[in-house]
Amino acid sequence: MPAKPRPKTKDAARGDVIAKLSEVFRAHGYEGASLSLITEATGLGKGSLYNLFPRGKEQMAEEVLAHIDGWFEREVFAPLRDDSGGEGIARMFDAVDRYFESGGRVCIVGVFALGAARDHFAKAVRGYFTAWEAALALALRRRGFSAAEAKQRAEDIVLGIQGALVLARANDDRGVFRRAMKRLRGTVARQADAC
Amino acid sequence: MPAKPRPKTKDAARGDVIAKLSEVFRAHGYEGASLSLITEATGLGKGSLYNLFPRGKEQMAEEVLAHIDGWFEREVFAPLRDDSGGEGIARMFDAVDRYFESGGRVCIVGVFALGAARDHFAKAVRGYFTAWEAALALALRRRGFSAAEAKQRAEDIVLGIQGALVLARANDDRGVFRRAMKRLRGTVARQADAC
DNA sequence: GTCTATATAGGGATAGAC
DNA sequence: GTCTATCCCTATATAGAC
């Protein structure tokens, strides 16, 4: 190994670009994310962008979605599946709260899902939500819920998070998201409404 | 009054155009709704469109939003506020299920809320959700919920509907929406979890 | 690898004939 | 009122200099 690879590796630099791309797609959606917005956000000219992403905007979006999927796989889905010490679900809520900045940022996958881009990126969009629900349902089963109930509650939680993001952005108020997250955390505590 | 105004009135014809515009904005969002998509959907040339909506696409979106607001005001908010015979909430769920075709159509206001268009149409977007929540909270208070609980449950229901629409479209599966609606209907039945 | 043209298509919007 | 033709701008994408 050479002495000090201080200057960023190729992959790290690419990661930086993808992070900036994400914010453009998040704020403007797929069709709204113009190359001029992208050059502005990344500080790169079109030439550089097409050098990094030869297939253009489509490829940029694909890699943004893949990056999101990777992050959630590491920070959310894997902890849910391992559920080390029964803390998987709590870790999920923590990670989600950080990722969406308590409702200050919307979900790119959700934005894509609502627009015409869904058809083009259907597999990634669907995969994201199904992976999330499946991992969460598994963790809920370990908590003692029946298979059917775990599935239903997992769906309600993912759905609640997405709805909270819509309302938080519509009203420009993170309070909606915070309250929803608190309530959703509560729904996994009480094992059933048995009295 | 003249004998038979069989041919459509001006307003009715305008209503038809707005209905078709709505479907374009619903499917493609504000930025994605190009004039060529709009001419195709309405069957009108640009000249006619600019005659009907002199301020162009912006005005089209404004009138679409106003039309939605009018529909919900009549079919959802007013029944919730009147709550004739305590059926206001049930009528809301029925109307919502019809309007969104059991999850087959997404919410235009939700689509706008997630995109950059929110800033331009902030007042209409915010107004839609706040009116809905306020009317629903009022109906819930009449059902015996405390002011705080009614407000919270109203928020959870509106949020749940929006989240269900996101997931239904993401997974291309109306089942998510139907299940969510059923569950949400249930949350207004049990007055409190008092055992 | 990054930039500055440039190419080509489509965007929103307008003018004017009918 | 509706169309066609046209305006000007911005879109994505490419070429080629450095």
Side-chain angles (χ1 to χ4, degrees):
Chain A
M1 263 185 182
K4 256 203 171 181
R6 242 301 152 91
K8 271 177 192 162
T9 71
K10 239 170 155 181
D11 279 12
R14 192 180 186 86
D16 280 4
V17 174
I18 288 176
K20 283 167 182 162
L21 286 177
S22 301
E23 295 317 305
V24 182
F25 284 118
R26 190 192 307 280
H28 300 274
Y30 183 70
E31 18 276 320
S34 69
L35 285 198
S36 62
L37 283 170
I38 290 172
T39 54
E40 190 183 354
T42 57
L44 294 173
K46 293 180 191 179
S48 306
L49 287 171
Y50 276 88
N51 185 40
L52 283 167
F53 308 96
R55 293 199 340 278
K57 209 168 96 163
E58 184 187 14
Q59 186 179 359
M60 295 180 206
E62 282 170 11
E63 297 207 17
V64 163
L65 289 173
H67 181 259
I68 294 169
D69 197 64
W71 193 91
F72 273 79
E73 175 58 37
R74 255 180 294 112
E75 306 289 328
V76 179
F77 308 158
L80 280 172
R81 285 194 286 262
D82 304 351
D83 203 16
S84 45
E87 288 298 310
I89 294 176
R91 282 188 59 185
M92 176 195 84
F93 279 113
D94 291 341
V96 164
D97 193 59
R98 267 183 291 125
Y99 183 81
F100 294 119
E101 292 176 1
S102 302
R105 286 165 83 194
V106 296
C107 175
I108 301 179
V109 191
V111 174
F112 277 36
L114 284 190
R118 185 211 54 170
D119 297 335
H120 206 97
F121 304 101
K123 204 174 162 185
V125 168
R126 200 181 208 126
Y128 172 80
F129 289 116
T130 35
W132 193 344
E133 277 184 40
L136 180 51
L138 183 65
L140 287 166
R141 286 221 60 181
R142 290 220 192 82
R143 273 266 222 289
F145 290 103
S146 73
E149 204 172 353
K151 199 169 179 303
Q152 183 58 59
R153 297 214 176 197
E155 186 171 279
D156 287 341
I157 289 168
V158 174
L159 169 166
I161 291 169
Q162 292 297 315
L165 290 171
V166 172
L167 249 70
R169 172 130 166 98
N171 299 341
D172 199 13
D173 167 29
R174 303 187 188 202
V176 189
F177 185 79
R178 292 210 195 90
R179 286 190 292 275
M181 288 284 278
K182 196 172 172 185
R183 178 180 62 84
L184 291 171
R185 282 182 128 113
T187 63
V188 302
R190 42 182 144 104
Q191 184 124 341
D193 294 283
C195 294
Chain B
M1 261 185 183
K4 257 202 169 181
R6 243 298 154 94
K8 270 176 191 161
T9 71
K10 239 170 156 182
D11 278 13
R14 193 181 187 85
D16 281 2
V17 174
I18 289 176
K20 283 165 182 164
L21 286 177
S22 301
E23 295 318 306
V24 182
F25 284 119
R26 189 193 308 280
H28 298 91
Y30 183 70
E31 18 276 320
S34 69
L35 286 197
S36 61
L37 284 170
I38 291 172
T39 55
E40 189 184 354
T42 58
L44 294 172
K46 293 181 190 179
S48 306
L49 287 170
Y50 275 90
N51 184 41
L52 283 166
F53 308 96
R55 294 199 340 279
K57 207 167 98 163
E58 184 186 15
Q59 187 180 357
M60 296 181 207
E62 282 170 9
E63 296 206 17
V64 163
L65 290 173
H67 181 260
I68 294 168
D69 197 64
W71 193 91
F72 273 79
E73 176 58 37
R74 255 180 295 113
E75 305 289 330
V76 180
F77 307 159
L80 280 172
R81 283 194 288 262
D82 305 350
D83 204 15
S84 44
E87 289 298 310
I89 294 176
R91 283 188 58 184
M92 176 195 84
F93 280 113
D94 291 342
V96 164
D97 193 58
R98 267 183 291 125
Y99 182 80
F100 294 120
E101 293 177 359
S102 302
R105 288 163 82 194
V106 296
C107 177
I108 300 179
V109 190
V111 173
F112 276 36
L114 284 190
R118 185 211 53 171
D119 298 335
H120 206 96
F121 304 100
K123 205 174 163 184
V125 169
R126 200 180 208 128
Y128 172 80
F129 288 115
T130 36
W132 192 348
E133 277 184 40
L136 180 52
L138 183 64
L140 287 166
R141 285 221 61 181
R142 291 221 191 81
R143 273 266 223 288
F145 290 102
S146 73
E149 205 173 351
K151 198 168 180 305
Q152 183 58 59
R153 296 213 177 198
E155 186 171 279
D156 286 341
I157 289 169
V158 173
L159 170 165
I161 292 169
Q162 292 297 316
L165 290 171
V166 172
L167 249 69
R169 172 133 167 95
N171 298 341
D172 198 14
D173 167 28
R174 302 188 189 200
V176 189
F177 185 79
R178 293 210 193 90
R179 286 190 290 275
M181 289 284 278
K182 196 171 172 187
R183 178 181 61 84
L184 291 171
R185 280 182 130 112
T187 63
V188 302
R190 41 183 144 104
Q191 185 123 339
D193 293 283
C195 295

